[in-house]
Amino acid sequence: MSLLTRRRLLRRAALSATAAGAARTGLAGATLAGTAAAVSVAGCDSPPERTTDAEPDGGLRFPDGFGWGAATSAYQIEGAAKEDGRGESVWDTFSHTPGRTRNGDTGDVAADHYHRYAQDLDLMRELGLRSYRFSISWPRIQADGSGRPNQRGLDFYRRLLDGLHERGIAPMATLFHWDLPQALQDDGGWENRDTAERFADYADAVFRALGDRVPAWLTINEPKTVVQNGYIWGHHAPGHQDEAAAYLVAHHLQLAHGLAVQALRASGASGRIGPALNLHPCYPADDSAEAAAATRLYDGYENRLYLDSVFTGAYPQDVLADLGPDSRMVRGVRDGDLKIISSPVDLLAVQYYTPIYVTGGGGTVRKWPTSEAEWQQIYPEGMYDILTRVTRDYGRVPITITENGLPCPDTPGPDGTVDDAGRVSFLRDHFAAAHRAVRDGVPLESYHVWSLLDNFEWAEGYDQRWGLVYVDYASQRRVLKRSAHWYREVIRRNGL
Ligand code: GCO
């Protein structure tokens, strides 16, 4: 791996480790070593411009039938970790490993959605959601990642899907949101090319069982996060720090995506399908030629590695050159792989949280205040930039936003309400940026706020609250936050 890349990754690891450390020790607003300036936690305490959110302003109308929605994932909300034949996932192993998650939190119970899904479906109807993006737990369908599907697991998702249809809410199902069956990890996980084949078999089983109920499928949630957090920095499952393996994992995740697309077509199921990518607009931190060059390569690792392979059938040459011909990734690509990966898709799921500012040395600096999540700079303009860039560079593939949101220190007041005014401001600004992109020709179909419910935020456990709906984990009581009431009005008016 080139010196630039190594320096970049090591610096990001240091920044990330500092951030994780800062977050873990509650120094969430701390000045991080090496950043350009002190950052403060914002986005949650900035009051909305208007005195009331009950009636969003007029003026910004979205296209008729726009798919206002919310998103979740199986391991983060379901709980019932050992129920009805569910097998172990890498996140069960990781969260039960001392020191891996904040306070030792696990997804054993989470928001108990497996048992409370009917109540949560009613909440979605109360909000007026048009669309709901969730994920299917692979170990609930195949306990060990292969073989005959678990009927009780399939039955849970049938009940959930039927409940969505009964309430007029369109389902969008993610096949893989990081909960790889542990048995497959024991066989090498995503470093093992066979796992991509196992994923295709699992996808086929799900398409055949549920394909008549699901109009939109997403294949792999955020392959980049599995690569970076799971294999470079190690603070996500499986917790490896192996840069050489990381980009071979990227290739196998992309291959799994392509094989699942082909499996859907072969199954005869009628739904649409596409990837779910967290895309970070990358900007030079200064106007030097070095920063421009470093930003280009950074964008290659952050965005083009995943977009180019799916939409152009080739990995970006600058990234391949930077990795080197002897890298495990380059050596792992076989003839025909990129043709599989670039099997035509019907939609692209974009997940936008933060921009990245790149220095001439290939490091990163912070330019905007962050949310409670130290890695999240609050920059609504980045939503406009990434949406218009994708349409400009990759054509008019229909786009759905499947994640956008922020964590806030939400606590119920004396009257029991949860006043997350900052989340209202954040969402309003990002909706407005998305509206500008639509006005400028981006074929945006829907927008899923992350997240419907407060949930298990991976290594941060339950300390970060991202939901429109507050979850009291002791009682599992749900409380609609101010942002949920505001969002309901946005949906009713189809705009701001
Ligand atoms: C991700 C995941 C979600 C996270 C959310 C907040 O994008 O990392 O898809 O599971 O919980 O993004 O970090």
PDB file of all heavy atoms in Angstrom, residues 72-73 76 133 177-178 221-222 225 229 236 278 351 353 373 375 403 450-451 455-458 464 466, ligand 1:
ATOM      1  N   THR A  72     -34.281   1.520   9.838  1.00  0.00           N
ATOM      2  CA  THR A  72     -33.744   0.789  10.997  1.00  0.00           C
ATOM      3  C   THR A  72     -32.899  -0.363  10.454  1.00  0.00           C
ATOM      4  O   THR A  72     -32.799  -0.565   9.239  1.00  0.00           O
ATOM      5  CB  THR A  72     -34.864   0.169  11.865  1.00  0.00           C
ATOM      6  OG1 THR A  72     -35.558  -0.810  11.067  1.00  0.00           O
ATOM      7  CG2 THR A  72     -35.834   1.207  12.387  1.00  0.00           C
ATOM      8  N   SER A  73     -32.334  -1.152  11.389  1.00  0.00           N
ATOM      9  CA  SER A  73     -31.682  -2.394  10.970  1.00  0.00           C
ATOM     10  C   SER A  73     -31.920  -3.452  12.029  1.00  0.00           C
ATOM     11  O   SER A  73     -32.147  -3.134  13.206  1.00  0.00           O
ATOM     12  CB  SER A  73     -30.181  -2.194  10.743  1.00  0.00           C
ATOM     13  OG  SER A  73     -29.458  -2.342  11.963  1.00  0.00           O
ATOM     14  N   GLN A  76     -29.906  -3.728  15.343  1.00  0.00           N
ATOM     15  CA  GLN A  76     -29.985  -2.523  16.166  1.00  0.00           C
ATOM     16  C   GLN A  76     -31.312  -2.368  16.899  1.00  0.00           C
ATOM     17  O   GLN A  76     -31.385  -1.627  17.893  1.00  0.00           O
ATOM     18  CB  GLN A  76     -29.729  -1.299  15.285  1.00  0.00           C
ATOM     19  CG  GLN A  76     -28.306  -1.251  14.752  1.00  0.00           C
ATOM     20  CD  GLN A  76     -28.072  -0.027  13.895  1.00  0.00           C
ATOM     21  OE1 GLN A  76     -28.319  -0.050  12.692  1.00  0.00           O
ATOM     22  NE2 GLN A  76     -27.593   1.045  14.486  1.00  0.00           N
ATOM     23  N   ARG A 133     -37.695   1.383   5.692  1.00  0.00           N
ATOM     24  CA  ARG A 133     -36.513   0.603   5.345  1.00  0.00           C
ATOM     25  C   ARG A 133     -36.029  -0.115   6.587  1.00  0.00           C
ATOM     26  O   ARG A 133     -35.740   0.516   7.592  1.00  0.00           O
ATOM     27  CB  ARG A 133     -35.423   1.530   4.778  1.00  0.00           C
ATOM     28  CG  ARG A 133     -34.189   0.817   4.304  1.00  0.00           C
ATOM     29  CD  ARG A 133     -32.950   1.240   5.086  1.00  0.00           C
ATOM     30  NE  ARG A 133     -31.768   0.501   4.633  1.00  0.00           N
ATOM     31  CZ  ARG A 133     -30.522   0.819   4.948  1.00  0.00           C
ATOM     32  NH1 ARG A 133     -30.271   1.872   5.696  1.00  0.00           N
ATOM     33  NH2 ARG A 133     -29.514   0.077   4.532  1.00  0.00           N
ATOM     34  N   HIS A 177     -27.199  -6.051   6.796  1.00  0.00           N
ATOM     35  CA  HIS A 177     -26.837  -4.849   7.552  1.00  0.00           C
ATOM     36  C   HIS A 177     -25.891  -5.287   8.675  1.00  0.00           C
ATOM     37  O   HIS A 177     -26.170  -5.134   9.858  1.00  0.00           O
ATOM     38  CB  HIS A 177     -28.082  -4.153   8.115  1.00  0.00           C
ATOM     39  CG  HIS A 177     -27.872  -2.701   8.404  1.00  0.00           C
ATOM     40  ND1 HIS A 177     -28.627  -1.688   7.851  1.00  0.00           N
ATOM     41  CD2 HIS A 177     -26.978  -2.088   9.214  1.00  0.00           C
ATOM     42  CE1 HIS A 177     -28.212  -0.511   8.307  1.00  0.00           C
ATOM     43  NE2 HIS A 177     -27.213  -0.730   9.122  1.00  0.00           N
ATOM     44  N   TRP A 178     -24.789  -5.947   8.279  1.00  0.00           N
ATOM     45  CA  TRP A 178     -23.601  -6.237   9.080  1.00  0.00           C
ATOM     46  C   TRP A 178     -23.670  -7.460   9.983  1.00  0.00           C
ATOM     47  O   TRP A 178     -22.651  -7.849  10.548  1.00  0.00           O
ATOM     48  CB  TRP A 178     -23.222  -5.027   9.940  1.00  0.00           C
ATOM     49  CG  TRP A 178     -23.025  -3.777   9.146  1.00  0.00           C
ATOM     50  CD1 TRP A 178     -22.958  -3.663   7.782  1.00  0.00           C
ATOM     51  CD2 TRP A 178     -22.858  -2.464   9.653  1.00  0.00           C
ATOM     52  NE1 TRP A 178     -22.778  -2.358   7.413  1.00  0.00           N
ATOM     53  CE2 TRP A 178     -22.711  -1.598   8.550  1.00  0.00           C
ATOM     54  CE3 TRP A 178     -22.817  -1.921  10.918  1.00  0.00           C
ATOM     55  CZ2 TRP A 178     -22.529  -0.228   8.680  1.00  0.00           C
ATOM     56  CZ3 TRP A 178     -22.636  -0.549  11.061  1.00  0.00           C
ATOM     57  CH2 TRP A 178     -22.499   0.286   9.951  1.00  0.00           C
ATOM     58  N   ASN A 221     -25.488  -3.177   3.080  1.00  0.00           N
ATOM     59  CA  ASN A 221     -25.475  -1.850   3.693  1.00  0.00           C
ATOM     60  C   ASN A 221     -24.040  -1.383   3.937  1.00  0.00           C
ATOM     61  O   ASN A 221     -23.299  -2.000   4.691  1.00  0.00           O
ATOM     62  CB  ASN A 221     -26.218  -1.864   5.036  1.00  0.00           C
ATOM     63  CG  ASN A 221     -26.151  -0.497   5.697  1.00  0.00           C
ATOM     64  OD1 ASN A 221     -26.804   0.437   5.262  1.00  0.00           O
ATOM     65  ND2 ASN A 221     -25.337  -0.360   6.720  1.00  0.00           N
ATOM     66  N   GLU A 222     -23.693  -0.288   3.273  1.00  0.00           N
ATOM     67  CA  GLU A 222     -22.431   0.409   3.544  1.00  0.00           C
ATOM     68  C   GLU A 222     -21.216  -0.529   3.541  1.00  0.00           C
ATOM     69  O   GLU A 222     -20.547  -0.721   4.573  1.00  0.00           O
ATOM     70  CB  GLU A 222     -22.497   1.139   4.882  1.00  0.00           C
ATOM     71  CG  GLU A 222     -23.578   2.170   4.935  1.00  0.00           C
ATOM     72  CD  GLU A 222     -23.396   3.118   6.101  1.00  0.00           C
ATOM     73  OE1 GLU A 222     -22.454   2.936   6.894  1.00  0.00           O
ATOM     74  OE2 GLU A 222     -24.206   4.046   6.209  1.00  0.00           O
ATOM     75  N   THR A 225     -18.200   0.837   5.325  1.00  0.00           N
ATOM     76  CA  THR A 225     -18.103   0.850   6.789  1.00  0.00           C
ATOM     77  C   THR A 225     -17.607  -0.486   7.308  1.00  0.00           C
ATOM     78  O   THR A 225     -16.830  -0.552   8.261  1.00  0.00           O
ATOM     79  CB  THR A 225     -19.466   1.203   7.402  1.00  0.00           C
ATOM     80  OG1 THR A 225     -19.930   2.428   6.834  1.00  0.00           O
ATOM     81  CG2 THR A 225     -19.377   1.356   8.909  1.00  0.00           C
ATOM     82  N   ASN A 229     -14.375   0.192   9.352  1.00  0.00           N
ATOM     83  CA  ASN A 229     -14.561   0.001  10.791  1.00  0.00           C
ATOM     84  C   ASN A 229     -14.275  -1.435  11.207  1.00  0.00           C
ATOM     85  O   ASN A 229     -13.811  -1.692  12.311  1.00  0.00           O
ATOM     86  CB  ASN A 229     -16.002   0.361  11.202  1.00  0.00           C
ATOM     87  CG  ASN A 229     -16.254   1.853  11.108  1.00  0.00           C
ATOM     88  OD1 ASN A 229     -15.482   2.589  10.477  1.00  0.00           O
ATOM     89  ND2 ASN A 229     -17.337   2.313  11.699  1.00  0.00           N
ATOM     90  N   HIS A 236     -15.547  -2.046  14.787  1.00  0.00           N
ATOM     91  CA  HIS A 236     -16.792  -2.749  14.466  1.00  0.00           C
ATOM     92  C   HIS A 236     -16.443  -4.221  14.260  1.00  0.00           C
ATOM     93  O   HIS A 236     -15.293  -4.562  13.968  1.00  0.00           O
ATOM     94  CB  HIS A 236     -17.427  -2.194  13.182  1.00  0.00           C
ATOM     95  CG  HIS A 236     -18.289  -0.989  13.404  1.00  0.00           C
ATOM     96  ND1 HIS A 236     -19.145  -0.506  12.436  1.00  0.00           N
ATOM     97  CD2 HIS A 236     -18.445  -0.165  14.460  1.00  0.00           C
ATOM     98  CE1 HIS A 236     -19.787   0.554  12.883  1.00  0.00           C
ATOM     99  NE2 HIS A 236     -19.381   0.789  14.100  1.00  0.00           N
ATOM    100  N   ASN A 278     -22.929   4.607   1.836  1.00  0.00           N
ATOM    101  CA  ASN A 278     -22.738   5.875   2.543  1.00  0.00           C
ATOM    102  C   ASN A 278     -21.676   6.652   1.785  1.00  0.00           C
ATOM    103  O   ASN A 278     -20.534   6.232   1.690  1.00  0.00           O
ATOM    104  CB  ASN A 278     -22.352   5.678   4.016  1.00  0.00           C
ATOM    105  CG  ASN A 278     -21.159   4.759   4.223  1.00  0.00           C
ATOM    106  OD1 ASN A 278     -20.999   3.775   3.504  1.00  0.00           O
ATOM    107  ND2 ASN A 278     -20.334   5.068   5.199  1.00  0.00           N
ATOM    108  N   GLN A 351     -26.692   7.177   1.510  1.00  0.00           N
ATOM    109  CA  GLN A 351     -26.726   7.464   2.946  1.00  0.00           C
ATOM    110  C   GLN A 351     -25.722   8.590   3.196  1.00  0.00           C
ATOM    111  O   GLN A 351     -24.528   8.408   2.971  1.00  0.00           O
ATOM    112  CB  GLN A 351     -26.425   6.190   3.733  1.00  0.00           C
ATOM    113  CG  GLN A 351     -27.392   5.132   3.298  1.00  0.00           C
ATOM    114  CD  GLN A 351     -27.381   3.790   4.001  1.00  0.00           C
ATOM    115  OE1 GLN A 351     -28.316   3.035   3.746  1.00  0.00           O
ATOM    116  NE2 GLN A 351     -26.425   3.491   4.867  1.00  0.00           N
ATOM    117  N   TYR A 353     -24.186  11.550   5.754  1.00  0.00           N
ATOM    118  CA  TYR A 353     -24.042  12.051   7.115  1.00  0.00           C
ATOM    119  C   TYR A 353     -23.091  13.224   7.240  1.00  0.00           C
ATOM    120  O   TYR A 353     -23.308  14.122   8.046  1.00  0.00           O
ATOM    121  CB  TYR A 353     -23.552  10.933   8.049  1.00  0.00           C
ATOM    122  CG  TYR A 353     -24.604   9.903   8.356  1.00  0.00           C
ATOM    123  CD1 TYR A 353     -24.615   8.663   7.702  1.00  0.00           C
ATOM    124  CD2 TYR A 353     -25.604  10.165   9.277  1.00  0.00           C
ATOM    125  CE1 TYR A 353     -25.585   7.718   7.984  1.00  0.00           C
ATOM    126  CE2 TYR A 353     -26.576   9.228   9.553  1.00  0.00           C
ATOM    127  CZ  TYR A 353     -26.561   8.010   8.907  1.00  0.00           C
ATOM    128  OH  TYR A 353     -27.531   7.070   9.176  1.00  0.00           O
ATOM    129  N   ALA A 373     -21.822  12.513  17.555  1.00  0.00           N
ATOM    130  CA  ALA A 373     -20.936  11.556  16.873  1.00  0.00           C
ATOM    131  C   ALA A 373     -19.765  12.350  16.319  1.00  0.00           C
ATOM    132  O   ALA A 373     -19.927  13.125  15.369  1.00  0.00           O
ATOM    133  CB  ALA A 373     -21.694  10.840  15.750  1.00  0.00           C
ATOM    134  N   TRP A 375     -17.453  11.913  14.399  1.00  0.00           N
ATOM    135  CA  TRP A 375     -17.083  11.806  12.969  1.00  0.00           C
ATOM    136  C   TRP A 375     -18.062  12.595  12.092  1.00  0.00           C
ATOM    137  O   TRP A 375     -17.809  12.791  10.906  1.00  0.00           O
ATOM    138  CB  TRP A 375     -17.096  10.344  12.535  1.00  0.00           C
ATOM    139  CG  TRP A 375     -18.357   9.599  12.855  1.00  0.00           C
ATOM    140  CD1 TRP A 375     -18.593   8.843  13.982  1.00  0.00           C
ATOM    141  CD2 TRP A 375     -19.576   9.577  12.097  1.00  0.00           C
ATOM    142  NE1 TRP A 375     -19.885   8.358  13.962  1.00  0.00           N
ATOM    143  CE2 TRP A 375     -20.505   8.781  12.816  1.00  0.00           C
ATOM    144  CE3 TRP A 375     -19.985  10.136  10.899  1.00  0.00           C
ATOM    145  CZ2 TRP A 375     -21.805   8.524  12.364  1.00  0.00           C
ATOM    146  CZ3 TRP A 375     -21.271   9.889  10.437  1.00  0.00           C
ATOM    147  CH2 TRP A 375     -22.164   9.094  11.175  1.00  0.00           C
ATOM    148  N   GLU A 403     -30.523   6.839   4.597  1.00  0.00           N
ATOM    149  CA  GLU A 403     -30.089   7.231   5.938  1.00  0.00           C
ATOM    150  C   GLU A 403     -29.640   8.687   5.940  1.00  0.00           C
ATOM    151  O   GLU A 403     -28.889   9.094   5.050  1.00  0.00           O
ATOM    152  CB  GLU A 403     -28.929   6.365   6.453  1.00  0.00           C
ATOM    153  CG  GLU A 403     -29.311   4.945   6.753  1.00  0.00           C
ATOM    154  CD  GLU A 403     -28.205   4.165   7.418  1.00  0.00           C
ATOM    155  OE1 GLU A 403     -27.322   4.779   8.058  1.00  0.00           O
ATOM    156  OE2 GLU A 403     -28.189   2.931   7.280  1.00  0.00           O
ATOM    157  N   TRP A 450     -32.717   8.420   9.376  1.00  0.00           N
ATOM    158  CA  TRP A 450     -32.126   7.490  10.344  1.00  0.00           C
ATOM    159  C   TRP A 450     -32.219   8.132  11.714  1.00  0.00           C
ATOM    160  O   TRP A 450     -31.576   9.157  11.959  1.00  0.00           O
ATOM    161  CB  TRP A 450     -30.657   7.178  10.038  1.00  0.00           C
ATOM    162  CG  TRP A 450     -30.184   6.143  10.999  1.00  0.00           C
ATOM    163  CD1 TRP A 450     -29.616   6.353  12.234  1.00  0.00           C
ATOM    164  CD2 TRP A 450     -30.318   4.723  10.862  1.00  0.00           C
ATOM    165  NE1 TRP A 450     -29.369   5.164  12.849  1.00  0.00           N
ATOM    166  CE2 TRP A 450     -29.795   4.146  12.050  1.00  0.00           C
ATOM    167  CE3 TRP A 450     -30.800   3.892   9.855  1.00  0.00           C
ATOM    168  CZ2 TRP A 450     -29.766   2.770  12.252  1.00  0.00           C
ATOM    169  CZ3 TRP A 450     -30.788   2.525  10.065  1.00  0.00           C
ATOM    170  CH2 TRP A 450     -30.253   1.984  11.242  1.00  0.00           C
ATOM    171  N   SER A 451     -33.072   7.632  12.647  1.00  0.00           N
ATOM    172  CA  SER A 451     -33.710   6.339  12.521  1.00  0.00           C
ATOM    173  C   SER A 451     -35.152   6.449  13.039  1.00  0.00           C
ATOM    174  O   SER A 451     -35.506   7.463  13.652  1.00  0.00           O
ATOM    175  CB  SER A 451     -32.932   5.335  13.373  1.00  0.00           C
ATOM    176  OG  SER A 451     -33.542   4.065  13.366  1.00  0.00           O
ATOM    177  N   ASN A 455     -31.833   3.268  19.105  1.00  0.00           N
ATOM    178  CA  ASN A 455     -31.452   1.858  18.950  1.00  0.00           C
ATOM    179  C   ASN A 455     -29.994   1.645  19.328  1.00  0.00           C
ATOM    180  O   ASN A 455     -29.312   2.574  19.767  1.00  0.00           O
ATOM    181  CB  ASN A 455     -31.716   1.420  17.498  1.00  0.00           C
ATOM    182  CG  ASN A 455     -30.929   2.242  16.489  1.00  0.00           C
ATOM    183  OD1 ASN A 455     -29.704   2.340  16.585  1.00  0.00           O
ATOM    184  ND2 ASN A 455     -31.622   2.873  15.547  1.00  0.00           N
ATOM    185  N   PHE A 456     -29.506   0.431  19.137  1.00  0.00           N
ATOM    186  CA  PHE A 456     -28.125   0.040  19.451  1.00  0.00           C
ATOM    187  C   PHE A 456     -27.203   0.639  18.414  1.00  0.00           C
ATOM    188  O   PHE A 456     -27.181   0.201  17.270  1.00  0.00           O
ATOM    189  CB  PHE A 456     -28.030  -1.489  19.433  1.00  0.00           C
ATOM    190  CG  PHE A 456     -26.641  -2.044  19.627  1.00  0.00           C
ATOM    191  CD1 PHE A 456     -26.065  -2.082  20.897  1.00  0.00           C
ATOM    192  CD2 PHE A 456     -25.903  -2.514  18.546  1.00  0.00           C
ATOM    193  CE1 PHE A 456     -24.783  -2.599  21.070  1.00  0.00           C
ATOM    194  CE2 PHE A 456     -24.613  -3.035  18.715  1.00  0.00           C
ATOM    195  CZ  PHE A 456     -24.054  -3.070  19.981  1.00  0.00           C
ATOM    196  N   GLU A 457     -26.432   1.662  18.795  1.00  0.00           N
ATOM    197  CA  GLU A 457     -25.566   2.361  17.842  1.00  0.00           C
ATOM    198  C   GLU A 457     -24.176   1.737  17.841  1.00  0.00           C
ATOM    199  O   GLU A 457     -23.168   2.373  18.107  1.00  0.00           O
ATOM    200  CB  GLU A 457     -25.514   3.845  18.179  1.00  0.00           C
ATOM    201  CG  GLU A 457     -24.544   4.663  17.323  1.00  0.00           C
ATOM    202  CD  GLU A 457     -24.732   4.484  15.829  1.00  0.00           C
ATOM    203  OE1 GLU A 457     -25.844   4.129  15.396  1.00  0.00           O
ATOM    204  OE2 GLU A 457     -23.763   4.686  15.084  1.00  0.00           O
ATOM    205  N   TRP A 458     -24.124   0.406  17.553  1.00  0.00           N
ATOM    206  CA  TRP A 458     -22.870  -0.310  17.363  1.00  0.00           C
ATOM    207  C   TRP A 458     -21.902  -0.120  18.523  1.00  0.00           C
ATOM    208  O   TRP A 458     -22.308  -0.307  19.685  1.00  0.00           O
ATOM    209  CB  TRP A 458     -22.286   0.039  15.995  1.00  0.00           C
ATOM    210  CG  TRP A 458     -23.301  -0.111  14.897  1.00  0.00           C
ATOM    211  CD1 TRP A 458     -23.862   0.887  14.144  1.00  0.00           C
ATOM    212  CD2 TRP A 458     -23.943  -1.314  14.450  1.00  0.00           C
ATOM    213  NE1 TRP A 458     -24.786   0.383  13.257  1.00  0.00           N
ATOM    214  CE2 TRP A 458     -24.858  -0.969  13.428  1.00  0.00           C
ATOM    215  CE3 TRP A 458     -23.836  -2.668  14.799  1.00  0.00           C
ATOM    216  CZ2 TRP A 458     -25.656  -1.909  12.775  1.00  0.00           C
ATOM    217  CZ3 TRP A 458     -24.626  -3.605  14.162  1.00  0.00           C
ATOM    218  CH2 TRP A 458     -25.514  -3.227  13.141  1.00  0.00           C
ATOM    219  N   GLN A 464     -25.944   6.778  22.304  1.00  0.00           N
ATOM    220  CA  GLN A 464     -26.308   7.732  21.258  1.00  0.00           C
ATOM    221  C   GLN A 464     -27.733   7.441  20.823  1.00  0.00           C
ATOM    222  O   GLN A 464     -28.077   6.296  20.530  1.00  0.00           O
ATOM    223  CB  GLN A 464     -25.362   7.619  20.044  1.00  0.00           C
ATOM    224  CG  GLN A 464     -23.997   8.241  20.288  1.00  0.00           C
ATOM    225  CD  GLN A 464     -23.138   8.264  19.034  1.00  0.00           C
ATOM    226  OE1 GLN A 464     -23.586   7.908  17.944  1.00  0.00           O
ATOM    227  NE2 GLN A 464     -21.889   8.682  19.181  1.00  0.00           N
ATOM    228  N   TRP A 466     -30.518   8.241  18.080  1.00  0.00           N
ATOM    229  CA  TRP A 466     -30.680   8.718  16.690  1.00  0.00           C
ATOM    230  C   TRP A 466     -32.135   8.733  16.247  1.00  0.00           C
ATOM    231  O   TRP A 466     -32.445   9.094  15.112  1.00  0.00           O
ATOM    232  CB  TRP A 466     -29.918   7.806  15.740  1.00  0.00           C
ATOM    233  CG  TRP A 466     -28.425   7.868  15.825  1.00  0.00           C
ATOM    234  CD1 TRP A 466     -27.629   7.289  16.798  1.00  0.00           C
ATOM    235  CD2 TRP A 466     -27.522   8.497  14.914  1.00  0.00           C
ATOM    236  NE1 TRP A 466     -26.302   7.542  16.549  1.00  0.00           N
ATOM    237  CE2 TRP A 466     -26.212   8.281  15.378  1.00  0.00           C
ATOM    238  CE3 TRP A 466     -27.690   9.240  13.749  1.00  0.00           C
ATOM    239  CZ2 TRP A 466     -25.084   8.768  14.734  1.00  0.00           C
ATOM    240  CZ3 TRP A 466     -26.571   9.723  13.088  1.00  0.00           C
ATOM    241  CH2 TRP A 466     -25.280   9.500  13.575  1.00  0.00           C
TER     242      TRP A 466
HETATM  243  C1  GCO B   1     -24.417   3.385   9.389  1.00  0.00           C
HETATM  244  C2  GCO B   1     -25.389   2.359   9.658  1.00  0.00           C
HETATM  245  C3  GCO B   1     -26.391   2.672  10.737  1.00  0.00           C
HETATM  246  C4  GCO B   1     -25.895   3.613  11.831  1.00  0.00           C
HETATM  247  C5  GCO B   1     -26.169   5.062  11.486  1.00  0.00           C
HETATM  248  C6  GCO B   1     -25.593   5.996  12.551  1.00  0.00           C
HETATM  249  O1  GCO B   1     -24.629   4.123   8.444  1.00  0.00           O
HETATM  250  O2  GCO B   1     -23.406   3.401  10.087  1.00  0.00           O
HETATM  251  O3  GCO B   1     -26.100   2.049   8.475  1.00  0.00           O
HETATM  252  O4  GCO B   1     -26.612   1.388  11.242  1.00  0.00           O
HETATM  253  O5  GCO B   1     -26.540   3.312  13.039  1.00  0.00           O
HETATM  254  O6  GCO B   1     -25.563   5.391  10.277  1.00  0.00           O
HETATM  255  O7  GCO B   1     -24.208   5.797  12.633  1.00  0.00           O
END
